[in-house]
Amino acid sequence: MNTNNNNIPRPIELLAPAKNLEQGIMAIDHGADAVYIGANEFGARQAAGNSIEDIAQLAAYAHQFGARVYVTVNTIIYEHELANAKLLLRRIVKAGIDAILVQDMAVVEMMKEIAAEPEMRGVSMPELHASTQTDNRTAEKATWLSSIGFSRVVLARELSIDEIKAIHKAVPQTELEVFVHGALCVSYSGACYASHHCFGRSANRGECAQFCRLAFDLKDNRGDVIRKASHLLSLKDMNQLDRLEDIIDAGATSLKIEGRLKDAAYVKNVVAAYNQKLNDIIENNPGVYCRSSRGKSEYTFVPNLDKTFNRGFTHYFLDGRRDDISSFDTPKAMGEYVGYVKEIRRDSFNVAGTAIFANGDGLCFFTQDHKLHGFRVNRVENNRLFPLSMPENLKAGMALYRNNDIVFERAMEGKTAERKLDIDITIGVDCGKIVLEAEDEAGRKAFCTLDEPLQEAQKPQSDNIIRQLEKLGNTQFRPRKTKLEGGVGNMFIPSSRLAAMRRNVIALIEEQPINIGETPDASKLTYSNNESCTNKRKHAIDAEKINVANVANHRAEAFYEEHGVKHAAAAFELTDNAYSSKRIYGTPHTNMPLMTCRYCLRYAMGYCVKRGGKQPTWKEPLLLESSDGRQVRLVFNCAKCQMEVYAL
């Protein structure tokens, strides 16, 4: 069991994606303590933009449970967009959200100015969180970000438990946000330029074309094909459900689920699974951890992570380098293993296994040449399946996977969760009046009195009084304890009066905001100029040591210079001659990698001599060639234990 020296439970947050208002509300209902959502511009998922009105509505809904809403403004911003970005930021602040995720440091400067505007006097200002797009993989980077005012740092997905611990030790007062579930980028976030170079779609602008999910031929410098038509840069999906406690104990404040482009069933299922696991951890560590929001969620289904989109699961680098993180055969969802083909007939086959199938299930299998094929089940008779049309390449002995469970999908339709706040109700007699008091789990209290003469009842009324007071119906509350005091159980109180008192008290509690932690006002902003920031400016910092890059405008350039960062790299998008004629801000870098990866293809294939692998027989450098003839060069930087991808 973990111990807490401060004797104050540490709040832990489950952070869920919100593609839109509807899915944001679903995430809250299914147990999320916070959600992150994009506005209609400058979010790192361009296809998941939302109006300010929807964001404000989501924030109002989340705050009923003390949950938070974070808005992603985490793209780089071009010079001509600065004015529009500032207008958007001002509107986001007024929407009542709790934090903004940032990549471009121009946003920090603009937020400082917005906070000082007269019209913002008395307005609660959101925190600033350093997006994973700022490439946060070292204690030095986290320390620098903390020094310039970020209250939270979203860590790179590639970090191990020990690295998370080291960062937490370096910045113990800074919140650390750690990815725990979802799709993985093969490159460090913020350090991937392949999509822009190849397709003119910048990952740093929310337009990633998923270059890493393509099939490639792997060739050596003689042109010999080492591996043909394989998805050599495609990774499995992260799943840390069984490692949550280790991640929390390492210092994580927020557990982040990836997926702002995923469907509603994904959000419901994944959030529910992690919510239940997190509740179990907290229950097993009394006084050590607590949830950062209020309310309990109840479900109409049993969460199962195998049932929603995944490419197979991995712990990634949580325990250091491992060889099970890639998915060479397909970038698509395979689903759960359900057995193998036992015997084939003309129009059907049977399955060896314990899975139960249903008409409409989607199944898939790998052929002998490692190609994924899928089909739909038309009819089921016990363990004999009749496809809509028999797959030509299906053979006895082949493993089967279910990537669409029709029964589960139907169970996920409609309303599948309800979130309620516990409330304690006490009714008694005080100074000759009936007094009703209530207090919810967030500590909000209210009372009201019945200004009518007391009447003795002919028979006990306790059961009826409790029944009337606990009729909380469609409110956000559920009764936890209902107490009768001062002999009130022997009083006659008309049911209509009890109902009116109950409604009155509930309304008074609902009017009170739930405390969701201290949010700074304009005069106390963590990103205002302060002594620690000033001191930092006296010491020059090499941009390469803290992975500073992607400068796209004069405000970001000035920010880095003011804070002592030398040679901050200009945005690749401004220096890539194939697509740019813009003025360059920051320091232009030549021969910049298109990708910088902790993932290493040579290691994944068993050829890392440094770690006991086989001696390669090929002649390096190695090339990846896509089906349309695009080629990139691989460089294995063994000194840094990373792989770099370069344009030819």
Side-chain angles (χ1 to χ4, degrees):
M1 177 183 290
N2 295 291
T3 58
N4 189 328
N5 295 329
N6 296 324
N7 296 319
I8 300 174
R10 180 158 67 90
I12 304 298
E13 172 187 279
L14 178 60
L15 177 58
K19 180 179 183 179
N20 50 39
L21 169 62
E22 182 183 19
Q23 289 192 17
I25 290 173
M26 287 177 188
I28 298 297
D29 285 346
H30 286 74
D33 300 295
V35 295
Y36 59 102
I37 188 170
N40 54 8
E41 294 180 277
F42 309 116
R45 293 290 184 274
Q46 192 180 69
N50 294 275
S51 70
I52 298 298
E53 292 74 20
D54 279 358
I55 290 171
Q57 189 175 336
L58 178 59
Y61 186 83
H63 292 168
Q64 294 180 92
F65 301 98
R68 298 186 174 210
V69 172
Y70 309 145
V71 177
T72 57
V73 188
N74 58 340
T75 66
I76 57 172
I77 300 171
Y78 292 148
E79 183 72 17
H80 70 278
E81 297 171 324
L82 288 172
N84 282 343
K86 192 170 184 178
L87 288 173
L88 177 68
L89 288 168
R90 193 178 288 111
R91 295 181 67 207
I92 289 171
V93 170
K94 291 180 179 179
I97 57 93
D98 304 288
I100 295 175
L101 280 86
V102 178
Q103 175 182 190
D104 197 311
M105 294 301 151
V107 173
V108 179
E109 291 294 282
M110 289 189 284
M111 286 296 292
K112 190 163 54 177
E113 294 168 355
I114 290 169
E117 293 173 355
E119 66 180 288
M120 291 299 171
R121 198 164 292 153
V123 175
S124 292
M125 297 299 293
E127 300 172 357
L128 294 184
H129 295 177
S131 168
T132 189
Q133 292 295 122
T134 53
D135 194 3
N136 309 320
R137 43 181 146 141
T138 65
E140 291 79 10
K141 182 62 171 287
T143 300
W144 183 77
L145 289 167
S146 179
S147 77
I148 61 173
F150 284 97
S151 62
R152 177 181 294 186
V153 175
V154 187
L155 298 182
R157 293 169 173 85
E158 291 82 357
L159 300 187
S160 68
I161 284 287
D162 288 341
E163 288 167 324
I164 296 170
K165 286 180 180 178
I167 293 173
H168 176 60
K169 183 177 180 181
V171 286
Q173 303 306 314
T174 300
E175 294 181 353
L176 301 181
E177 186 173 300
V178 176
F179 281 91
V180 295
H181 195 91
L184 290 167
C185 300
V186 71
S187 174
Y188 284 108
S189 293
C192 182
Y193 312 106
S195 179
H196 185 274
H197 178 75
C198 293
F199 306 110
R201 292 173 54 180
S202 169
N204 281 314
R205 299 274 296 167
E207 302 168 333
C208 177
Q210 295 197 314
F211 174 82
C212 58
R213 302 296 181 189
L214 298 178
F216 298 98
D217 290 343
L218 178 64
K219 298 181 177 181
D220 68 8
N221 76 342
R222 296 171 296 202
D224 294 338
V225 177
I226 301 166
R227 184 152 184 154
K228 189 168 181 62
S230 296
H231 301 271
L232 299 172
L233 299 179
S234 183
L235 304 184
K236 294 179 181 178
D237 288 357
M238 179 185 282
N239 179 353
Q240 310 288 22
L241 188 68
D242 62 341
R243 302 298 301 278
L244 282 194
E245 189 164 358
D246 294 334
I247 293 170
I248 294 168
D249 193 43
T253 294
S254 180
L255 309 171
K256 186 170 192 171
I257 297 168
E258 180 276 340
R260 277 199 292 133
L261 299 181
K262 298 292 200 307
D263 62 18
Y266 173 95
V267 172
K268 291 177 176 183
N269 188 31
V270 177
V271 171
Y274 277 85
N275 178 54
Q276 289 183 339
K277 183 66 174 180
L278 184 51
N279 283 340
D280 289 343
I281 292 170
I282 289 172
E283 185 177 342
N284 293 330
N285 292 273
V288 180
Y289 306 123
C290 65
R291 296 298 289 266
S292 64
S293 67
R294 302 288 183 266
K296 300 290 190 300
S297 299
E298 294 182 352
Y299 311 111
T300 62
F301 67 100
V302 178
N304 184 340
L305 295 177
D306 290 328
K307 299 290 187 181
T308 44
F309 184 98
N310 69 83
R311 302 175 177 89
F313 289 129
T314 176
H315 287 133
Y316 206 27
F317 288 96
L318 198 66
D319 300 306
R321 189 171 293 280
R322 51 194 302 151
D323 58 6
D324 67 344
I325 65 177
S326 50
S327 178
F328 286 175
D329 293 335
T330 180
K332 299 178 181 178
M334 295 186 303
E336 58 181 332
Y337 173 74
V338 289
Y340 65 90
V341 179
K342 189 173 181 181
E343 178 252 348
I344 298 179
R345 297 180 186 173
R346 182 178 61 84
D347 61 350
S348 66
F349 63 93
N350 61 5
V351 180
T354 59
I356 299 174
F357 300 94
N359 299 347
D361 276 354
L363 302 180
C364 58
F365 63 95
F366 285 102
T367 59
Q368 292 177 342
D369 59 351
H370 302 285
K371 303 299 181 186
L372 187 68
H373 288 258
F375 62 94
R376 185 168 295 278
V377 176
N378 189 46
R379 181 162 53 93
V380 176
E381 293 181 3
N382 297 319
N383 69 336
R384 180 157 290 276
L385 308 184
F386 294 79
L388 195 59
S389 61
M390 279 294 290
E392 293 182 6
N393 298 318
L394 189 67
K395 308 291 183 185
M398 284 183 169
L400 283 174
Y401 302 88
R402 177 161 49 195
N403 54 12
N404 185 29
D405 186 326
I406 196 69
V407 173
F408 189 77
E409 288 296 318
R410 287 171 180 162
M412 299 301 290
E413 294 174 355
K415 188 174 179 62
T416 52
E418 190 170 54
R419 183 166 177 168
K420 298 277 190 179
L421 294 164
D422 285 338
I423 192 167
D424 296 331
I425 301 172
T426 303
I427 187 168
V429 179
D430 186 23
C431 298
K433 294 182 179 181
I434 303 295
V435 180
L436 180 66
E437 298 177 306
E439 181 177 359
D440 72 0
E441 64 176 273
R444 299 179 297 178
K445 301 178 183 179
F447 75 94
C448 68
T449 60
L450 181 61
D451 236 353
E452 294 184 8
L454 300 179
Q455 298 181 53
E456 288 282 344
Q458 293 180 354
K459 58 181 181 179
Q461 294 292 302
S462 298
D463 290 345
N464 181 60
I465 292 172
I466 292 172
R467 184 166 56 251
Q468 295 301 325
L469 295 180
E470 291 187 348
K471 286 183 177 179
L472 297 173
N474 293 325
T475 71
Q476 67 186 98
F477 302 101
R478 65 180 179 190
R480 180 168 54 186
K481 295 177 185 176
T482 303
K483 295 192 298 184
L484 280 62
E485 297 178 345
V488 74
N490 296 317
M491 300 294 174
F492 173 71
I493 311 171
S495 295
S496 60
R497 299 289 190 273
L498 289 168
M501 294 177 75
R502 182 196 67 230
R503 288 193 296 269
N504 190 8
V505 166
I506 292 298
L508 290 170
I509 288 181
E510 287 178 333
E511 290 174 359
Q512 304 172 42
I514 290 180
N515 180 16
I516 55 174
E518 292 186 7
T519 303
D521 62 27
S523 63
K524 299 177 182 176
L525 279 172
T526 56
Y527 41 85
S528 299
N529 287 332
N530 55 48
E531 186 64 26
S532 63
C533 292
T534 303
N535 289 338
K536 285 291 178 184
R537 295 176 195 139
K538 296 177 182 177
H539 306 285
I541 304 167
D542 192 324
E544 289 190 10
K545 289 186 177 179
I546 57 172
N547 309 320
V548 170
N550 301 326
V551 178
N553 57 72
H554 83 278
R555 301 206 65 165
E557 181 181 54
F559 181 92
Y560 286 121
E561 290 177 356
E562 182 183 3
H563 288 81
V565 179
K566 300 188 302 179
H567 311 303
F572 179 89
E573 291 80 358
L574 302 185
T575 59
D576 186 7
N577 292 330
Y579 294 98
S580 177
S581 59
K582 305 177 183 69
R583 176 184 164 186
I584 295 174
Y585 300 92
T587 303
H589 281 224
T590 57
N591 198 30
M592 193 178 217
L594 297 180
M595 291 180 173
T596 303
C597 315
R598 192 166 206 173
Y599 166 76
C600 175
L601 183 56
R602 194 159 70 180
Y603 179 87
M605 295 175 63
Y607 289 97
C608 176
V609 177
K610 186 176 179 180
R611 295 176 180 268
K614 295 176 288 186
Q615 184 70 39
T617 57
W618 57 67
K619 182 77 171 174
E620 293 186 5
L622 301 183
L623 303 179
L624 293 178
E625 183 176 303
S626 62
S627 59
D628 61 0
R630 299 177 192 273
Q631 289 186 331
V632 292
R633 174 172 55 94
L634 303 181
V635 171
F636 301 99
N637 189 336
C638 296
K640 294 184 177 180
C641 204
Q642 65 188 27
M643 180 179 75
E644 297 160 358
V645 180
Y646 287 86
L648 285 182

